[in-house]
């Protein structure tokens, strides 16, 4: 969908006269034809762009900017006044509720002035209307900002005049797009929670740290496009309140800032690889603080990954210390016992908890000192957490403005120096003072849905609707530490996370059903797609240098949904019909696995080159293994071509076909890693996998023994062994030997794949069929030979 059409179909009635006049600005970019159009030349050449044309266009553009900016400011002020008015009304209702006093069994309590259910309902409706206003304003701002960016790009492309730097100055003077409404969202969340609970909001310990020092949760992660951030926050706050750690003070922007310093060995990157491969016991060590650089309390944390088969859950454990003690602690000059000496004297914390914290501090200090861990990467983001205080059954957090920054002293540059963190930056996003090679600005927000892991617990219905909606894109096991390290150290990191190529894909999706915040009579926009004239343009100058090298190959994108030409039917609620993910799952695969292709996946060429320098049997064995592997691959390919392949049943969509919902196509592609890099695909490996491979091998071995026994019986225990019985015994013997060799080969292949956690094809497509066919031929030959021997034919 072109942006002009997108703008027309997304207009909100209240703002309909205040949107950017995109079509009119586009028309002004077209100069007169040099000659009148004719049937032979319907589009003749246009006149050159002149200073007068530029002046006329710039004047119109600035008028549009002033119109949008004025409407945004007026509406923002109006929303602020409405929130303050609602605060007074809610406070009055709560005061009357408190004056009523406790209700006794005899009906006591002052009920004459108590708020009624109708009053709470009216307040809830008013707050819902304000929430919808914030949502509409955010959509209005986002759409207009996109329009200005596109018309400036179109102007610079068509005219050759560079207006973008000049217009950027005007945008700074009238920054209608910079309000993030976080303060309003926090206030609305508090008011809505009071009204929703009828004046009895849940209370409890919500302090950072507190009882959250050690906890176990089941976490799923999603990416959220910037266009959907405000809408997502408003949807969640209607079900969960914003978790405010210090409710006694007014909300400030720095209150939501979270910064972490990650440690690793810059020579081996063992923590990075351990977390990426999800090996049993893999650790991540970080130092975290909440708020600005003046924060005194620093949390030292260790995350430990546990495999499910161990019966344990992955755990994050942490303890707090003063900022002034961090350097001496990390260098080993301050022992853990001294850190907790004051806590023991005060006696405010149980001795058992202090002992656990001291043990944790001892283990982290030992790891840092003996394994050479250094600060390598910083992550910064603003977190909006949604949770009932003292109730961690459902906790949702949304991290925006995510930025990863280098903290190392490699490449001859001093960043953190001898300190545990660099001091030339604070929480001043977007950290424009840093060189491009030191910073990676993540393009999306990260949504984390954390649920308690009691057996059989189902998430609430609204959570299931949220995570299956168009607002989020699931990215399992996404890690800020892994992503930051992979992008900030491109020359030192060769193993990439599986989501890296997906950074080049637009994650916005069409609206699949009526989900979200909307007003009656307002159309739901599908997505903000690129204008056709801008399809070949991209803001390359805004791309990070490190990320762009992983995103440079547009033809090597992940297996991914691509939906075009969204029709009206796609906007409707489709009930129980298949969603896009289910349709893709129902499609027949053209190959065994849509694997990620890595450049030199096994490092085979490098290993052979290294073996060539060594020479002798080492080199010849490597070459022989490669040739055998190629022979096996070609044999399998030949068998695939000659064997009949069954056709999968096509799953019907709403109108009997797959494209009924979107009217578009589903495109599957293979990932391709940049040259010299490998993509790590997560593979789940448990002890039962090894046992299953061994049981399969033993079953084949047993089968080979049975066939060999039949051959030996025919050969040695006949009344009078003949040429025919010898031929039949030979046929069975060949089948037995082939089955034995095949079983050994397939077992070694699987065992190697399991041990190295490779995403290979573990099921056997051809072995059982070939074996049964060979056995059938051997039985037929035996029958024929025996019949001839007995002269039956």
């Amino acid at each position: 969908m072109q942006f002009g059409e997108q703008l027309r179909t997304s207009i909100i009635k209240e703002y309909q006269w205040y949107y950017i006049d995109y079509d009119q600005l586009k028309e002004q970019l077209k100069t007169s034809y040099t000659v009148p159009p004719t049937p032979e030349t319907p589009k003749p050449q246009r006149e050159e762009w002149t200073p007068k044309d530029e002046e006329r266009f710039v004047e119109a553009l600035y008028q549009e900017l002033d119109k949008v900016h004025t409407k945004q400011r007026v509406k923002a002020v109006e929303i602020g006044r409405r929130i303050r008015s609602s605060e007074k009304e809610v406070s009055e209702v709560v005061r009357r509720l408190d004056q009523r006093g406790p209700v006794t069994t005899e009906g006591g309590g002052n009920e004459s002035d108590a708020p009624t259910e109708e009053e709470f309902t009216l307040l809830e409706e008013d707050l819902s209307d304000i929430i919808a206003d914030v949502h509409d304003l955010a959509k209005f701002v986002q759409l207009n900002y996109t329009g200005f960016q596109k018309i400036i790009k179109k102007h610079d492309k068509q005219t050759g005049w560079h207006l973008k730097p000049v217009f950027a100055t005007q945008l700074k003077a009238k920054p209608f797009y910079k309000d993030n409404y976080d303060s309003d969202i926090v206030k609305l969340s508090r008011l809505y929670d009071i009204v929703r609970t009828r004046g009895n909001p849940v209370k409890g310990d919500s302090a950072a740290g507190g009882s959250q020092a050690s906890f176990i949760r089941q976490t799923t992660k999603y990416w959220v496009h910037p266009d959907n951030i405000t809408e997502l926050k408003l949807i969640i706050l209607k079900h969960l309140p914003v978790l405010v750690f210090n409710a006694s003070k007014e909300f400030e922007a720095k209150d939501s800032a979270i910064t972490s310093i990650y440690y690793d060995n810059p020579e081996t990157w063992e923590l990075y690889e351990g977390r990426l491969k999800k090996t049993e016991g893999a650790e991540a060590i970080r130092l975290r603080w909440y708020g600005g650089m003046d924060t005194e309390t620093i949390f030292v944390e260790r995350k430990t990954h546990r495999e499910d088969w161990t019966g344990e859950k992955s755990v994050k454990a942490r303890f707090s210390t003063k900022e002034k003690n961090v350097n001496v602690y990390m260098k080993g000059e301050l022992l853990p016992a001294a850190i907790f000496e004051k806590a023991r004297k005060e006696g405010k914390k149980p001795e058992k908890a202090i002992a656990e914290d001291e043990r944790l501090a001892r283990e982290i200090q030992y790891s840092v000192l003996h394994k050479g861990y250094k600060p390598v990467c910083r992550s910064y983001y603003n977190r909006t957490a949604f949770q009932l205080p003292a109730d961690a059954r459902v906790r949702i957090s949304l991290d925006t403005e995510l930025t990863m920054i280098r903290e190392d002293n490699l490449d001859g540059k001093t960043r953190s120096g001898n300190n545990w963190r660099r001091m030339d930056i604070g929480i001043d996003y977007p950290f424009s003072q840093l060189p491009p090679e030191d910073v990676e600005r993540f393009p999306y927000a990260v949504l984390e849905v954390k649920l308690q892991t009691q057996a059989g617990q189902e998430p609430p219905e609204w959570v299931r609707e949220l995570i299956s909606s168009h607002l989020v894109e699931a990215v399992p096991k996404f890690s800020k530490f892994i992503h930051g390290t992979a992008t900030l150290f491109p020359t030192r990191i060769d193993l990439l996370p599986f989501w890296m190529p997906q950074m080049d894909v637009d994650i916005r999706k069409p609206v699949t059903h009526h989900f979200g915040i909307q007003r009656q009579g307002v159309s739901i926009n599908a997505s903000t797609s690129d204008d056709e004239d801008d399809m070949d343009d991209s803001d390359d100058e805004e791309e990070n240098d490190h990320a762009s090298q992983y995103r440079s190959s547009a033809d090597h994108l992940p297996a991914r949904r691509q939906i075009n030409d969204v029709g009206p039917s796609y906007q409707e609620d489709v009930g129980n019909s298949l969603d896009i993910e289910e349709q893709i799952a129902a499609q027949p695969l053209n190959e065994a696995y849509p694997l990620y292709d890595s450049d030199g996946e096994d490092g085979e060429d490098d290993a052979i080159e290294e073996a060539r320098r060594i020479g002798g049997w080492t080199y010849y064995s490597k070459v022989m293994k490669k040739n055998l592997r190629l022979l096996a691959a070609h044999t399998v390919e030949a068998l695939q071509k000659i064997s009949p392949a069954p056709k999968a049943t096509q799953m019907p969509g709403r109108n009997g076909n797959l494209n009924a919902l979107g009217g578009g196509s589903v495109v599957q592609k293979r990932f391709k890693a940049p040259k010299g890099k490998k993509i790590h695909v997560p593979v789940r490996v448990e002890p039962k996998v090894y046992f299953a491979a061994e049981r399969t091998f033993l079953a084949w071995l047993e089968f080979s023994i049975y066939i060999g026994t039949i051959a030996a019986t025919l050969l040695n225990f006949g009344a009078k062994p003949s040429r025919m019985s010898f031929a039949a015994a030979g046929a069975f013997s060949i089948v037995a030997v082939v089955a034995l060799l095949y079983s050994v080969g397939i077992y070694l292949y699987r065992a190697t794949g399991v041990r190295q956690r490779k995403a290979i094809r573990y099921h056997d497509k051809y072995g059982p069929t070939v074996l049964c066919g060979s056995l059938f031929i051997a039985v037929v030959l035996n029958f024929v030979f025996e019949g001839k021997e007995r002269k039956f034919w």
Side-chain angles (χ1 to χ4, degrees), residues 568-600:
S569 64
Y570 197 67
Q571 311 295 332
E572 301 172 3
D573 194 347
V574 296
N576 292 327
S577 56
L578 300 179
D579 61 20
I580 298 300
E581 287 79 4
E582 291 171 328
Q583 294 180 61
I584 293 176
Q587 278 193 304
L589 293 178
N590 296 326
E591 50 189 329
Y593 289 97
L595 290 180
Y596 293 69
D597 288 334
S598 293
D599 199 30

Side-chain angles (χ1 to χ4, degrees), residues 13-49:
K13 186 175 181 180
E14 180 184 354
Y15 299 90
Q16 61 181 335
W17 304 114
Y18 299 95
Y19 285 93
I20 178 177
D21 196 346
Y22 185 77
D23 291 336
Q24 182 61 32
L25 290 173
K26 275 177 58 177
E27 284 298 319
Q28 292 195 20
L29 288 176
K30 300 176 181 178
T31 57
S32 302
Y33 290 115
T34 54
V35 295
T38 63
E40 293 76 17
T41 57
K43 291 185 178 181
Q45 188 176 2
R46 294 183 179 272
E47 296 178 355
E48 292 289 332
W49 188 260

Side-chain angles (χ1 to χ4, degrees), residues 399 452 468 789:
D399 300 336
Q452 281 188 343
S468 63
E789 180 70 19

